[in-house]
């Protein structure tokens, strides 16, 4: 007889990662195509020499470096095994009863419903607006006395859309101060808005606002799994209680510290990614696609129920992209030659006729 597993897990989908296939270009996981800088590779190699020892469970050196970078105290910073682990921990520290609600826009980062339901809490979703952006008024209106946490993914994964500072501030000011608002800024470094919203700044005077950032995207450490939260010390202390001990490993901590030291060089790379993203969007608009403006390292094609078929056709043409159910397809801005391969497929008159006709 097999072991008893809680039956509700049958109805909870597992996280679906972007596909990988040898010899095929992968534009499916929002990774950066740049390899680690030599200084980061050196820090990784040095840390690898010591992996017979546990890492620092409190990640003090890394948290101190992050705190200095943001001009906050170390008590304001938590590190996690990727920011996705912190999403899970945030639900764990806020929700206990099945009536406790976790609120987020949909479609958004696919981990939100999973971590909510695994915690036994109730997922409440608010549809994106007609421009594939967060409907912040509807989100604020959906807050109830049972709402424990609101995830605001800005810019939004997978649609790429972002709100500026004024809109985010208005939203934050309309949410009760006992509801934790999580500004998930995984793609912060790719934003080029005039009215740039910076969750760390917005959270300084708002103890119920917490910001998530990651080393996986612009900093290029997706394979090492390290992200962080900046927020009120009371929230950070709670996060550290539910944290899986030692889950931010020694190599990840060393690489993240070295990446912060080299941040000017790493962040300069985002300009090239942004240029590629904008080039891809322009070519797709020209070919007749609808493409919402993106403030991330990817673009979104709202292809509805043709999305899965489009993903297959693109894979056959040598490029793995990421279809999302019957909503759309997300394509990461990769290296120029990879993006060219995708654009060749996407703008081919046969593709256009088949999917936009
Ligand atoms: N938030 C958002 C919006 C994301 O897209 C991702 C990665 N797909 C994450 C969080 C988690 O990133 P990581 O766990 O690699 O830090």
């Amino acid at each position: 007889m097999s072991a008893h597993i809680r039956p509700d897990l049958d109805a909870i989908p597992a996280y679906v990662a972007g596909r990988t296939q040898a010899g095929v270009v992968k534009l499916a996981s929002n990774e950066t195509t740049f390899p680690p800088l030599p200084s980061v590779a050196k820090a990784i190699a040095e840390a690898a020499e010591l992996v017979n020892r546990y890492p620092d469970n409190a990640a003090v050196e890394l948290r101190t470096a992050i705190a200095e970078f943001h001009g906050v105290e170390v008590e304001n910073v938590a590190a996690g095994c990727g920011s996705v682990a912190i999403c899970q921990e945030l639900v764990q520290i806020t929700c206990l009863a099945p009536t406790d609600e976790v609120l987020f826009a949909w479609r958004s980062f696919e981990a939100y419903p999973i971590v909510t339901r695994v915690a036994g809490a109730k997922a409440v979703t608010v549809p994106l607006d007609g421009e594939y952006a967060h409907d912040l008024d509807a989100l604020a209106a959906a807050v109830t006395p049972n709402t424990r946490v609101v995830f605001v993914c800005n810019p939004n994964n997978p649609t790429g859309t972002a709100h500026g500072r004024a809109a985010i501030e208005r939203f934050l000011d309309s949410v009760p101060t006992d509801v934790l608002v999580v500004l998930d800024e995984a793609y912060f470094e790719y934003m080029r808005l005039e009215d740039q919203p910076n969750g760390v700044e917005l959270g300084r005077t708002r103890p119920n606002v917490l910001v998530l950032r990651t080393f996986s995207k612009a900093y290029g450490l997706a394979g090492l799994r390290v992200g962080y939260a900046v927020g009120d010390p009371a929230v950070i202390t709670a996060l550290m209680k539910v944290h899986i001990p030692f889950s931010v490993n020694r190599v990840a901590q060393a690489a993240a510290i070295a990446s912060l030291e080299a941040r000017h060089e790493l962040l300069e790379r985002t300009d090239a990614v942004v240029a590629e993203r904008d080039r891809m969007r322009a070519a797709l608009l020209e070919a007749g696609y609808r493409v919402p403006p993106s403030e991330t390292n990817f673009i979104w094609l709202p292809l509805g129920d043709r999305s899965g078929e489009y993903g297959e056709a693109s894979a056959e043409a040598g490029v793995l992209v990421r279809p999302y159910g019957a909503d759309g397809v997300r394509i990461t801005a990769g290296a120029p030659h990879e993006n060219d391969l995708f654009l060749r497929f996407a703008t081919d008159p046969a593709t256009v006729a088949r999917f936009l006709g």
Side-chain angles (χ1 to χ4, degrees), residues 43-45 47-48 51 55 224 249-256:
I44 289 171
V51 294
L224 282 179
N249 71 70
R250 173 183 292 278
V251 179
Q253 290 187 34

Side-chain angles (χ1 to χ4, degrees), residues 25-243:
V25 167
K26 183 186 179 197
L27 299 179
S29 293
N30 296 345
E31 297 146 333
T32 158
T33 54
F34 301 104
L37 292 174
S39 64
V40 177
K42 182 166 172 273
I44 289 171
E46 283 169 9
E49 301 272 319
L50 288 167
V51 294
N52 53 314
R53 302 288 180 188
Y54 282 105
D56 174 8
N57 187 43
V60 174
E61 197 184 338
L62 171 59
R63 288 168 54 230
T64 303
I66 293 167
E68 276 171 16
F69 171 45
H70 286 297
V72 298
E73 301 300 320
V74 67
E75 292 75 22
N76 294 111
V77 180
C81 180
S83 55
V84 70
I86 308 180
C87 291
Q88 180 160 27
E89 293 164 8
L90 286 163
V91 178
Q92 286 178 319
I93 65 166
T94 50
C95 297
L96 188 59
T99 48
D100 287 340
E101 294 174 359
V102 178
L103 178 62
F104 46 89
W106 198 249
R107 197 174 263 278
S108 190
F109 182 33
E110 71 166 296
Y112 302 153
I114 298 173
V115 298
T116 302
R117 292 169 68 189
V118 168
K122 185 175 167 194
V124 178
T125 57
V126 170
L128 296 174
D129 69 15
E131 307 299 318
Y132 310 98
H134 275 59
D135 184 341
L136 293 173
D137 290 339
L139 205 59
V143 172
T144 75
N146 289 331
T147 307
R148 299 290 170 257
V149 51
V150 188
F151 284 104
V152 179
C153 191
N154 195 55
N156 189 44
N157 176 14
T159 60
T161 51
H163 282 291
R165 180 179 177 126
I168 296 288
E169 277 199 297
R170 201 175 329 114
F171 170 78
L172 295 177
D173 291 339
S174 67
V175 175
T177 53
D178 63 347
V179 175
L180 183 64
V181 180
V182 178
L183 295 176
D184 185 342
E185 296 185 337
Y187 301 94
F188 177 82
E189 296 83 1
Y190 300 105
M191 274 199 276
R192 296 291 185 271
L193 294 177
E194 260 175 43
D195 181 21
Q196 190 88 344
N198 178 336
V200 177
E201 299 307 324
L202 298 174
R204 280 189 203 279
T205 51
R206 297 175 175 90
N208 66 317
V209 173
L210 178 128
V211 182
L212 291 179
R213 298 275 181 92
T214 180
F215 286 96
S216 296
K217 314 291 177 186
Y219 290 89
L221 298 180
L224 282 179
R225 317 302 306 121
V226 51
Y228 64 93
V230 180
D232 186 60
V235 181
I236 299 298
T237 303
L239 282 174
M240 289 174 121
K241 285 193 181 167
V242 299
H243 178 73

